Structures are given as structure tokens and as C-alpha cells.
Amino acid sequence: MKQCKELLFLIIVLFSSVSVQANSDNGSSLFVGADKEVIESVELFEFNSPQEQKRSIDLAKQLRCPQCQNQNLVESNSPIAKDLRLQVYQQIKAGKSDKEVVAFMTRRFGDFVLYEPPLNAKTYVLWLLPLLLLIGFGIMAVKSVKKSTKE
């Protein structure tokens, strides 16, 4: 028990010293607030029409960021999301349809970039497992109720 307390004390001291060092770097700390230059470096794309801009944004919202996993391309600030937003912009600007843009993204990253992947041989488990689990738990619940009423 005494060894655990000593180990815990050493870990706390170690992390507190790392924290103090990180905060005393005068501007090069781990967490730096965004300055005016960073805020103004927002990506701006020029579209031919407001409809084209809306279409591009809607399409980017439908595609998942491969790095962030739970954010779409619009919400994510990862480098890959920025590249993919540019790719969506360029393809929309080139006159490609939404289906063509989505097909390009799925060829490059697989069905993972889609929030609603299609039902095919690769995704049967994804679509059918929740249903099978629901049926299984339903059968177990019915058996449990029948067993408890017999006793």
C-alpha cells in the first residue's frame, strides 16, 4: 500500500512539473489561443452562383471526415478535411453532379465517408446486426417472462 502511495505521489509530481514547464514557455505552450491572423485564414471559395455554393456546402456536410470520424467535412479542421473540401469545390466548379463527387470520394476512401452507407455485401453486418440483436434480446425477454410466470 505504501508503494502505491509513493508511486501515485511520483506520478503527480511528474505531471505537475510537465504542466508547469508547458505553461512557462512564453507563447509556445501546448494550448495557444487563435490570433487575428489565424482567424482570418478561413478558406474562401468563389462560386459562380449562390446555388452552386449551397450545393457544395450541402454535399460537404453529407461526407464524413476520414480523420475525425464524427465530423463532416465542413465541421472538421483537419488537413485532410480541408483537402477534401477543396476537392468538392473543384469538382462542383467543374460541373460534376453530386453522385459523381460522392462516387469519387467513396472510390478514394470507401463507404466510410458516407453517413449512410449503401446496403451491400460489405455492409450487411452494419445494417443487420442491430436488428439481429433486437430480435435476440426480444426472444430472451420473452423466455425470461415465461420462466418467471411458471415459477
Side-chain angles (χ1 to χ4, degrees):
M1 185 69 174
K2 185 176 180 182
Q3 290 177 341
C4 289
K5 287 181 180 180
E6 290 175 358
L7 181 62
L8 182 61
F9 176 73
L10 287 174
I11 291 172
I12 291 171
V13 169
L14 175 68
F15 282 116
S16 63
S17 66
V18 169
S19 175
V20 169
Q21 288 175 356
N23 289 334
S24 65
D25 284 345
N26 295 332
S28 62
S29 63
L30 295 174
F31 302 104
V32 179
D35 59 0
K36 186 176 180 181
E37 199 172 308
V38 172
I39 293 170
E40 289 177 355
S41 68
V42 175
E43 297 175 75
L44 298 175
F45 299 126
E46 293 183 21
F47 293 93
N48 296 331
S49 68
Q51 293 81 13
E52 193 176 79
Q53 180 181 15
K54 183 180 180 340
R55 190 172 138 227
S56 180
I57 291 170
D58 290 343
L59 190 56
K61 284 182 180 179
Q62 294 173 15
L63 297 169
R64 183 191 322 251
C65 172
Q67 183 177 358
C68 301
Q69 298 180 5
N70 287 328
Q71 291 182 319
N72 60 39
L73 297 181
V74 174
E75 296 170 342
S76 175
N77 287 325
S78 71
I80 187 103
K82 290 179 182 180
D83 291 343
L84 294 180
R85 283 193 300 265
L86 177 62
Q87 194 64 237
V88 168
Y89 164 73
Q90 289 172 340
Q91 290 190 21
I92 295 291
K93 194 96 161 139
K96 299 213 175 169
S97 71
D98 290 0
K99 287 183 180 183
E100 290 173 316
V101 175
V102 169
F104 170 81
M105 295 296 181
T106 54
R107 273 194 313 274
R108 188 168 174 192
F109 296 101
D111 290 334
F112 177 77
V113 295
L114 303 175
Y115 279 107
E116 295 182 22
L119 181 62
N120 59 31
K122 294 179 190 175
T123 60
Y124 281 147
V125 173
L126 175 70
W127 286 103
L128 297 178
L129 187 63
L131 180 62
L132 294 175
L133 286 173
L134 182 66
I135 291 170
F137 284 124
I139 291 170
M140 288 174 30
V142 169
K143 284 184 178 182
S144 176
V145 168
K146 284 183 179 181
K147 185 178 179 181
S148 66
T149 56
K150 286 182 181 179
E151 295 174 1

